[in-house]
Amino acid sequence: FWLVALLAVWSLVQLGALSASSAAVLVLAYLGQIVVYRPQNSTGWPFAWFLYSGVVDLVLGYYNATCIREGPPLDPQGRYLFAMSPHGIFGVCRAFSGGSLWRQMYGDIRPRWGSFGGAFFIPGVREFSLCSGCLDASRPVLERAIARGESVMLIPGGTRELMLTDGHSTTTKLVLLGRKGFVKLAIRHGLQLVPGFCFGEKWVHDIVLLPASLRAFLHRRFKLAGCALAGRWWSFVGKVAQADGTPISLGYVWGAPMSIRHDPDCDDQYVQQVHEQYMAAVLDLFERHKQRFGYSAEEQLDFVAAED
């Protein structure tokens, strides 16, 4: 995104529409506001106009996407924590939280995305995230959103899970072992936990990994994935067919909500119990729906720790 923006500014300078000094001032002013202006730590930006617009419908239509909601309609007055897996390289799964499709399934329930803090310091990604309703995924920020009566949507596996995306493997790795923060958040505030699984995204883009030492540094210091992606024509545009020509059937299945006992003290034993139930629910969704979305019988899930 930032490369496109810089290219646009450079083009304006070359065409004489913008002086070099004015371009420098604009770039510096933009970078400065990134540091000073941090809406991601408060209420974010208005987002319904974008996230539930026809733009998202176009994305889902491009992938010929299907979304399934299991269980009865949710109570619009309830509060929920929607937990998605897997992360995928580009996070195309986020499109299933918007558009007319979401409104048909969940009505006026409009959860706020939690995103890793570094995303809000990357030009282009910052604006896209804020327009999609993202907030910083830190506990204080999400708890303030919950206190305002908002529901929350997270991808628990995070950037570690992103780096494990492998469309050539029959094993999908989910970084969930030891990831209990989202479960504690649900228990602490009495949110119903809604498990979900995205099928097909691992085939949409190929992952291009940076050298291991650089990846480790970027993730340790900035929580960045340390990789790039390649879609159709080596671009950000996702593929619609696998290498052998098999069409990619992108799909999402939301499970029925798990009723969570409200426990502000977050008893460790109960946290472990709910965490295990969540992983079992994700595995159940995967096994029951994988063949519908083009996964072979040999495809399996592997729950791993972030350090693995």
Side-chain angles (χ1 to χ4, degrees):
F1 295 102
W2 61 271
L3 283 175
V4 174
L6 283 179
L7 181 60
V9 172
W10 178 83
S11 298
L12 289 174
V13 172
Q14 294 302 307
L15 293 172
L18 191 67
S19 67
S21 58
S22 296
V25 170
L26 285 175
V27 171
L28 290 174
Y30 173 79
L31 295 176
Q33 66 86 28
I34 288 180
V35 177
V36 177
Y37 176 50
R38 302 187 180 187
Q40 69 270 20
N41 294 336
S42 55
T43 58
W45 284 0
F47 65 96
W49 66 272
F50 177 74
L51 187 59
Y52 304 110
S53 72
V55 173
V56 178
D57 289 336
L58 288 174
V59 173
L60 295 175
Y62 171 79
Y63 290 111
N64 192 28
T66 299
C67 191
I68 299 171
R69 186 202 70 206
E70 297 188 340
L74 301 190
D75 180 1
Q77 302 303 316
R79 295 190 303 167
Y80 307 92
L81 194 159
F82 295 85
M84 283 185 161
S85 294
H87 189 290
I89 303 172
F90 199 41
V92 177
C93 59
R94 291 183 177 90
F96 287 99
S97 67
S100 59
L101 186 149
W102 176 270
R103 297 197 305 272
Q104 291 171 20
M105 293 191 303
Y106 292 108
D108 291 330
I109 299 174
R110 297 180 174 182
R112 299 301 296 265
W113 271 103
S115 178
F116 85 107
F120 300 100
F121 294 93
I122 303 175
V125 175
R126 166 188 173 86
E127 288 74 25
F128 179 81
S129 298
L130 289 169
C131 286
S132 299
C134 292
L135 300 174
D136 187 285
S138 62
R139 175 180 162 184
V141 173
L142 294 182
E143 288 189 329
R144 287 196 293 270
I146 293 169
R148 294 192 297 267
E150 296 186 279
S151 294
V152 174
M153 188 170 289
L154 298 170
I155 305 179
T159 53
R160 282 292 190 188
E161 193 169 270
L162 180 161
M163 291 188 287
L164 295 175
T165 303
D166 186 355
H168 301 290
S169 173
T170 57
T171 298
T172 298
K173 295 184 178 181
L174 302 184
V175 180
L176 285 174
L177 298 182
R179 292 283 174 98
K180 301 177 183 177
F182 71 104
V183 172
K184 292 179 181 178
L185 190 67
I187 294 174
R188 186 176 288 114
H189 297 280
L191 308 180
Q192 293 187 62
L193 185 57
V194 184
F197 193 90
C198 185
F199 293 89
E201 185 171 358
K202 69 176 184 176
W203 296 313
V204 168
H205 294 96
D206 293 323
I207 190 168
V208 181
L209 297 175
L210 298 178
S213 57
L214 181 56
R215 293 202 309 273
F217 169 76
L218 289 173
H219 192 269
R220 182 176 63 253
R221 183 67 180 86
F222 304 106
K223 299 300 180 184
L224 295 175
C227 66
L229 58 84
R232 298 179 76 178
W233 317 294
W234 284 85
S235 71
F236 284 96
V237 179
K239 301 176 183 179
V240 293
Q242 298 182 45
D244 61 1
T246 303
I248 296 173
S249 182
L250 195 63
Y252 205 92
V253 181
W254 287 110
M258 299 166 53
S259 295
I260 302 297
R261 185 182 75 226
H262 184 202
D263 180 8
D265 296 325
C266 267
D267 174 71
D268 289 342
Q269 185 174 357
Y270 185 55
V271 170
Q272 179 65 25
Q273 175 186 333
V274 174
H275 186 256
E276 291 176 356
Q277 290 175 347
Y278 170 77
M279 290 195 296
V282 171
L283 179 59
D284 177 61
L285 291 176
F286 178 80
E287 291 296 341
R288 286 191 292 109
H289 294 278
K290 64 182 183 181
Q291 288 187 306
R292 171 174 183 162
F293 295 106
Y295 285 58
S296 67
E298 290 73 31
E299 294 271 356
Q300 60 182 352
L301 291 187
D302 184 15
F303 296 110
V304 301
E307 296 75 20
D308 291 348

